[in-house]
Amino acid sequence: MTLDETRGRITRDGIRIYEDADFAGMRAAGRVAAEILDAVVPLVQPGVMTETLDDFITEEVKRRGVTSATIGYKGYRHASCISVNHVVCHGIPGPKLLKDGDILNIDVTVIVDGWFGDTSRMYVAGELNRKAERLIEVTHDALMKGIEAVKPGNTFGDIGHAIQTYVEANRMSVVRDFCGHGLGRVFHAPPNVLHYGRPGTGAVLEEGMFFTIEPMVNLGRPETKILADDWTAVTRDKSLSAQFEHSVGVTATGCDIFTLSPAGLFHPTYRR
Ligand code: MF3
Ligand code: CO
Ligand code: CO
């Protein structure tokens, strides 16, 4: 362990250990991000452009007096990533019309008093078909299995293993090319939170670690490629992909989920 220039400390794996008081900052930031994802639910309909959803999110960020973490991040220009159907992540909002049966992930990160809240969830335009519903269900439940593995003494490999085992038991695949990440007063920090792995491997979880878990799950093969826009990641085999993301903090007995939906709309966002 080394002492850091500010409060807290950094583990030998380079992971910051935050203090008790810091949980309140993360809760506030996570709540705002989740509220914005709640607010967008009624707008997701066939015939709506993804850039219209992003414009709404930009307004919601402003209205709350907080800051978008993604606008200006490595040249990214939008307040959300919107990833439709076979887009795995980092879909760029644009003049693309949603059509009946489309499934989409909307990912929002805000900065509130210097703390980062990062969350994403799945939405449906119109009627949801059975295969897509199963994918969304399995992806959500895989995230929650990962979160159940979050407690001091467990390892990051335990989280990845819980997710991978569940996804593969359902004959779907875990994307390897993207991972979760530490966050706090920064957007992306160590560790890389892999959504696959072996029990007991990787860094040991300690109280005060803040990170995201954000599994991407494909109906087909796990391989992805990045489109010419340098952002949009798609499945190589064009199969459907889904993702859910929470920001969490390790507590003495388990974890706090900072990005729970105040409206109870994390999943499902649609009626059945
Ligand atoms: N919110 C994404 C994540 O979960 C990162 C988006 S970066 C952007 O880490 F620039 F593409 F917006
Ligand atoms: Co993230
Ligand atoms: Co995100």
Side-chain angles (χ1 to χ4, degrees):
M1 158 203 351
T2 57
L3 277 175
D4 190 62
E5 65 280 11
T6 57
R7 295 181 301 169
R9 62 183 174 90
I10 306 280
T11 68
R12 52 201 293 174
D13 300 295
I15 305 169
R16 178 177 290 280
I17 304 299
Y18 288 94
E19 303 190 335
D20 285 358
D22 298 334
F23 279 73
M26 286 302 284
R27 255 184 243 117
R31 184 185 177 91
V32 171
E35 280 173 357
I36 293 170
L37 290 188
D38 285 349
V40 75
V41 169
L43 279 73
V44 178
Q45 301 289 345
V48 171
M49 294 186 294
T50 57
E51 69 184 10
T52 304
L53 301 176
D54 184 70
D55 289 345
F56 173 80
I57 290 165
T58 302
E59 276 310 305
E60 287 293 301
V61 168
K62 274 196 199 136
R63 198 170 70 72
R64 290 173 159 81
V66 301
T67 305
S68 165
T70 56
I71 297 175
Y73 177 78
K74 295 186 177 170
Y76 195 78
R77 302 172 151 277
H78 307 273
S80 62
C81 296
I82 303 186
S83 304
V84 182
N85 293 338
H86 74 297
V87 178
V88 172
C89 64
H90 302 164
I92 301 175
K96 176 190 169 58
L97 289 174
L98 294 176
K99 58 182 194 309
D100 189 48
D102 280 349
I103 63 167
L104 51 148
N105 173 280
I106 305 183
D107 190 336
V108 167
T109 310
V110 292
I111 313 170
V112 179
D113 292 332
W115 297 98
F116 285 69
D118 185 5
T119 181
S120 80
R121 59 176 89 149
M122 295 303 293
Y123 299 75
V124 181
E127 281 295 314
L128 179 58
N129 73 61
R130 280 204 127 76
K131 261 166 52 182
E133 178 168 16
R134 242 193 96 235
L135 171 66
I136 291 172
E137 209 63 40
V138 167
T139 308
H140 171 268
D141 293 352
L143 167 61
M144 299 320 286
K145 302 264 179 208
I147 290 175
E148 281 169 25
V150 178
K151 63 173 183 192
N154 276 4
T155 68
F156 282 94
D158 293 331
I159 299 173
H161 181 73
I163 293 167
Q164 179 182 11
T165 303
Y166 185 74
V167 168
E168 291 176 356
N170 282 281
R171 302 181 184 288
M172 297 177 194
S173 66
V174 173
V175 169
R176 311 297 206 262
D177 301 338
F178 300 91
C179 57
H181 50 93
L183 85 173
R185 271 191 281 254
V186 290
F187 196 171
H188 293 111
N192 286 332
V193 180
L194 306 183
H195 304 113
Y196 58 92
R198 284 178 294 119
T201 63
V204 176
L205 299 176
E206 293 182 47
E207 186 177 354
M209 289 179 175
F210 297 163
F211 53 88
T212 73
I213 307 179
E214 47 182 299
M216 287 138 275
V217 175
N218 300 345
L219 276 183
R221 295 194 49 81
E223 292 80 11
T224 68
K225 65 174 181 187
I226 310 273
L227 300 186
D229 62 24
D230 277 345
W231 282 105
T232 311
V234 299
T235 54
R236 279 192 175 268
D237 65 4
K238 303 271 172 63
S239 67
L240 275 187
S241 187
Q243 179 179 25
F244 284 86
E245 174 176 25
H246 269 316
S247 298
V248 305
V250 183
T251 63
T253 55
C255 75
D256 264 13
I257 304 176
F258 298 131
T259 45
L260 289 175
S261 160
L265 290 172
F266 186 69
H267 175 70
T269 56
Y270 45 91
R271 307 224 181 290
R272 288 195 267 189

